[in-house]
Amino acid sequence: MKRRLDAHVTMQKVVPNVTQRYRDLWEIPKDHDSVGFISCDNEDVMWLALDDATKRAKILAVYAETVYGGVEYSWSKFGGEITAIISGENVSDVRNGLFYMKEFIENKAEIYMLNEEGTLGYYADCIPRAGKYYQRTLGIPEGQAIAYLVSTPVESTYAFDKALKASNTRIAELFRPPSRVNTGGGIVTGTESACRAAVKAFAEAVEYCAFHPMEVE
């Protein structure tokens, strides 16, 4: 039974008028006076939410990092699986950035579970136009699409090959398993149609693995 899994923001905060010492700690641009912090219970949707926010708000992604284990292994129920820091020229810019990130995380996460227990799943999504975050960090040209493809180690490694064979895309980033949260996969880029083909092939391959774990071709 395939079902969509919700993701949630676990905490968000804004710090206006940062000091120079704090600015130096996080390498905040000189013209940015405010920062925002946000944590989420799923790392994969956070990365896409962060990139999406850079298209819709006047912010810079200063920092983002996945925690080890996360969620149930955090010191706090608010710790989540990943933490990000954004900066902006003023408080309203930062608040807008947090708003768009929360909207994406809680309404646009393409996380699917294939069984009732929630032990078989994947995240596969096509973003028609990469934002400034991925343009800067992965060198993706402005206006080019990406496909974000993640699942558990064996499934993701098998399915990533299928995605590449089914689409005219290039690898922008590879997530070698096991990651900090025991996943694998990667980001590919190309035309929107090519990225959608990659998403379709990846999802179908993960589902095949999940329901035929011992079959070999």
Side-chain angles (χ1 to χ4, degrees), residues 5 11 21-22 43 46 62 70 76-77 80 98 104 107 111 132 137 139 160 168 174 177-178 187 197 202 209 214:
L5 186 67
M11 183 172 283
R21 186 164 57 176
Y22 205 76
E43 71 147 335
M46 172 75 95
V62 175
S76 162
K77 66 179 180 180
L98 293 177
F104 190 101
N107 298 311
I111 312 167
K132 295 178 182 178
T137 60
F160 200 67
N168 183 22
L174 180 65
I187 299 174
F202 184 87
C209 289
M214 297 307 294

Side-chain angles (χ1 to χ4, degrees), residues 22-40:
Y22 205 76
R23 186 189 306 279
D24 294 340
L25 284 175
W26 297 105
E27 298 181 354
I28 299 168
K30 293 181 179 179
D31 58 342
H32 284 197
D33 291 331
S34 300
V35 297
F37 306 91
I38 185 170
S39 57
C40 172

Side-chain angles (χ1 to χ4, degrees), residues 64-126:
E65 192 60 76
T66 306
V67 302
Y68 288 99
V71 186
E72 296 178 5
Y73 303 97
S74 174
W75 279 20
S76 162
K77 66 179 180 180
F78 306 113
E81 198 171 82
I82 182 171
T83 298
I85 303 174
I86 61 175
S87 68
E89 293 182 7
N90 51 58
V91 171
S92 62
D93 289 336
V94 172
R95 284 179 176 165
N96 286 339
L98 293 177
F99 172 84
Y100 290 126
M101 290 181 71
K102 189 174 187 293
E103 180 185 53
F104 190 101
I105 289 166
E106 299 188 347
N107 298 311
K108 300 179 182 179
E110 294 294 327
I111 312 167
Y112 290 97
M113 287 299 166
L114 304 176
N115 62 356
E116 189 64 34
E117 297 79 15
T119 56
L120 304 170
Y122 63 87
Y123 191 115
D125 196 5
C126 173

Side-chain angles (χ1 to χ4, degrees), residues 153-163 202 205-206 208-209 217:
V154 173
E155 292 95 315
S156 65
T157 307
Y158 175 86
F160 200 67
D161 171 73
K162 298 294 185 182
F202 184 87
V206 170
Y208 173 79
C209 289
E217 297 175 350

Side-chain angles (χ1 to χ4, degrees), residues 179-190:
S179 69
R180 291 183 178 179
V181 291
N182 293 319
T183 58
I187 299 174
V188 299
T189 184

